[in-house]
Amino acid sequence: MLHSYNKIYLDDAMNNLAEAFHVAVKEYNYSLDYFMDIFIVSGIATHFEIGNPKYISGKSGTELVYDVVDLIGESNNNLNNNSIYLVPGAEYWTGWVLAYYQWYSSKTFREIHNIISMEKIYNMYHPYHEMDEEKIIEYINSEASKNKTARRLQAYRKLLGMSQSELAKESGINLRTLQQYEIGAKDIKKASASSVLALSNVLKCDVRDLFD
């Protein structure tokens, strides 16, 4: 599998992004998802994705946050250089596995953020932080697959010019359940065979078209 950059930089990248998430939350009081947003908007995420040594090895996590905040025009006056000495926890782990997943998958940070929220990764700290990184890769990939299926269901519905209410009525599926399938809150792959068949019949597609 082709990864984003040479593995010799991976440890630095993981440690620095982990520290950046830790500092962003603990020192700047940012939410994980807000920091992810400004990390992307600042353009630094793009440098990180391609393994630019200046950003994945040449700067500490604290310096990364400082640069992100500076580039988006916010104040760095709250920075406390002792923040990195706080005991790292779930925020640190979130940045750690995010860097690993990005390197492993070669997806952009924007693509990853569209797949899963940082808060959701944070909430996987127990029990995933005690597991091998491959387990969180499997989890995020399953979320990506779920999102892809949800988008496919929505695309077929819109292709026929149907509203969610119309599809729910014609297929006999509860409207709220259908909405959850479309946003990925529920996995349609776990729906009953009769429900999937009803959807495919109304949408005039093969059952496999909703999944593959």
Side-chain angles (χ1 to χ4, degrees), residues 162-175 178:
M162 300 181 73
S163 67
Q164 289 179 329
S165 297
E166 290 170 333
L167 178 56
K169 183 177 180 179
E170 291 195 32
S171 64
I173 293 175
N174 178 273
L175 175 59
L178 178 63

Side-chain angles (χ1 to χ4, degrees), residues 179-195:
Q179 291 170 334
Q180 290 177 315
Y181 287 151
E182 286 204 2
I183 63 174
K186 278 191 174 182
D187 189 353
I188 192 174
K189 293 181 180 179
K190 296 180 180 178
S192 66
S194 60
S195 293

